[in-house]
């Protein structure tokens, strides 16, 4: 794809690209925004290094993609800016919440279109994030599997990973402060296992191990082997990219066709990121 105003450098063969030549702290013209939007659709996740983004500017960049989303459960928000989440791990914490392949907030009836993560404080090593291309994950399934999945929905909610006393956390202090009363009251969302991207028209797998509970009409035990197969397939290394953060880097990803995984390999060091999330529509 040719872009007129930016330089787009892929970081892997599957997805992910660094965008050079855009200073997001300044107002950009519409042509540049159109290029950035096209690069986002083409690459699923795009990165800008060395950006000087105030909270307001971070929100303004997010708003170029659509109205901003307020997380229904996570309480670690900036008080005057409910749309801005703080994703932080201090040197004494071992658990990093969200440290599982996931698609942001897929348990919502209308899950977010995309997320914009900005690096504020980084460990001296580690703390990278990985993404995987869920178009490729779908397209490389057999015709038989595509035919089976094409008619199926899955329930998305707060799986055991997220429960207060769930096995994941084993009494460790948690980094993300979740409103567990709201978790208990939440109705699962039902989404197609294969969704069609509303802008590109391409089909993508839409299940993830953090929030997908089971396939509609099947028990959890019956669903598990199918879902486990899909997760293993979707996270094949050749479908992924991995980004090494630097201070002031911004990553913008498309939750409609990519899953991501923050890597928790920096215990003893601090990491602090800011996330703005963009509202999406009901998957079809
Ligand atoms: C997230 O899951 O939104 C955050 C990813 C990260 O901290 O790298």
């Amino acid at each position: 794809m040719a872009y007129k105003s930016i330089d787009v450098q892929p970081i892997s063969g599957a997805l992910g690209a660094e965008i050079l030549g855009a200073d997001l702290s300044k107002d950009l013209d519409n042509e540049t925004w159109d290029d950035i939007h096209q690069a986002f659709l083409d690459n699923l996740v795009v990165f800008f290094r060395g950006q000087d983004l105030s909270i307001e500017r971070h929100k303004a960049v997010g708003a170029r993609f659509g109205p901003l989303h307020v997380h229904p459960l996570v309480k670690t928000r900036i008080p005057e800016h409910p749309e801005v989440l703080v994703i932080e791990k201090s040197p004494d914490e071992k658990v990093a919440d969200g440290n599982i392949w996931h698609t942001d907030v897929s348990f919502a009836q209308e899950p977010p279109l995309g997320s914009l993560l900005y690096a504020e404080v980084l460990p001296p090593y580690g703390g990278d994030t990985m993404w995987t291309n869920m178009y490729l994950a779908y397209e490389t399934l057999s015709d038989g599997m595509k035919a089976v999945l094409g008619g199926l929905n899955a329930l998305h909610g707060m799986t055991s990973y997220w429960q207060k006393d769930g096995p994941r956390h084993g009494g460790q202090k948690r980094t993300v402060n979740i409103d567990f009363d709201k978790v208990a009251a939440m109705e699962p969302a039902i989404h197609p296992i294969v969704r069609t991207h509303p802008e590109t028209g391409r089909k993508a797998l839409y299940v993830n191990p953090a929030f997908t509970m089971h396939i509609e009409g099947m028990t959890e035990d019956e669903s598990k082997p199918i879902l486990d197969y899909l997760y293993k397939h979707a996270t094949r290394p050749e479908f992924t990219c991995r980004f090494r953060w630097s201070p002031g880097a911004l990553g913008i990803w498309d939750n409609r066709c990519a899953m991501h995984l923050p890597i928790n390999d920096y215990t003893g060091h601090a990491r602090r990121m800011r996330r703005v999330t963009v509202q999406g529509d009901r998957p079809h």
Side-chain angles (χ1 to χ4, degrees):
M1 180 65 68
Y3 306 98
K4 293 195 196 88
S5 356
I6 50 173
D7 183 12
V8 179
Q9 303 279 342
I11 66 163
S12 89
L15 78 168
E18 280 197 36
I19 296 187
L20 312 177
D23 178 354
L24 299 175
S25 69
K26 303 212 167 75
D27 287 334
L28 301 173
D29 56 30
N30 285 338
E31 188 178 72
T32 306
W33 277 115
D34 287 347
D35 271 357
I36 292 172
H37 188 248
Q38 190 59 49
F40 163 80
L41 293 178
D42 294 341
N43 295 281
L44 292 64
V45 52
V46 289
F47 306 99
F48 302 80
R49 290 199 189 268
Q51 301 292 323
D52 183 12
L53 288 191
S54 63
I55 291 173
E56 283 76 12
R57 197 66 212 156
H58 189 176
K59 282 170 46 174
V61 173
R64 293 299 309 208
F65 290 81
L68 300 186
H69 172 268
V70 176
H71 200 290
L73 302 173
V74 173
K75 294 197 280 190
T76 48
R77 301 186 193 134
I78 295 182
E80 319 78 66
H81 300 279
E83 313 90 342
V84 183
L85 294 182
V86 177
I87 298 174
E88 185 168 26
K89 184 167 173 265
S90 62
D92 60 323
E93 290 174 303
K94 293 198 170 58
V95 171
D97 268 306
N99 170 227
I100 177 172
W101 281 105
H102 65 280
T103 310
D104 289 327
V105 202
S106 74
F107 52 83
Q109 305 297 331
E110 295 186 341
L113 169 163
S115 305
L116 296 90
L117 191 68
Y118 181 65
E120 289 191 320
V121 175
L122 291 169
Y125 54 79
D128 297 358
T129 308
M130 294 182 71
W131 285 263
T132 195
N133 182 330
M134 299 297 267
Y135 293 134
L136 271 183
Y138 172 73
E139 287 160 5
T140 51
L141 292 169
S142 66
D143 289 345
M145 183 60 110
K146 283 182 187 155
V148 170
L149 297 180
L152 295 178
N153 294 316
L155 278 74
H156 294 239
M158 300 305 277
T159 59
S160 63
Y161 173 88
W162 293 99
Q163 302 307 312
K164 194 193 240 162
D165 305 315
R168 171 74 177 79
H169 301 290
Q172 299 280 356
K173 186 167 165 246
R174 299 173 63 92
T175 46
V176 173
N177 193 356
I178 289 183
D179 190 333
F180 284 104
D181 293 339
K182 288 197 184 154
V183 171
M186 259 181 37
E187 284 293 318
I190 302 178
H191 299 311
I193 290 182
V194 179
R195 72 179 289 183
T196 303
H197 194 291
E199 292 182 83
T200 65
R202 289 175 72 186
K203 287 184 177 178
L205 266 187
Y206 194 68
V207 284
N208 69 87
F211 301 125
T212 305
M213 304 163 85
H214 62 89
I215 297 172
E216 188 182 36
M218 295 187 197
T219 65
E220 285 190 22
D221 281 353
E222 288 167 340
S223 309
K224 191 171 182 313
I226 303 172
L227 292 175
D228 283 348
Y229 170 74
L230 295 177
Y231 302 147
K232 183 164 161 257
H233 172 73
T235 57
R236 279 165 47 179
E238 62 271 32
F239 298 162
T240 69
C241 71
R242 176 172 176 151
F243 185 67
R244 172 90 186 111
W245 293 98
S246 50
L250 178 77
I252 309 179
W253 64 87
D254 191 332
N255 282 306
R256 300 164 295 185
C257 52
M259 279 200 294
H260 59 282
L261 171 73
I263 300 173
N264 183 17
D265 59 351
Y266 55 95
T267 296
H269 300 284
R271 180 178 185 267
R272 182 182 156 102
M273 315 290 278
R274 241 202 260 143
R275 193 179 94 194
V276 164
T277 314
V278 182
Q279 289 177 25
D281 50 15
R282 184 179 275 276
H284 292 290

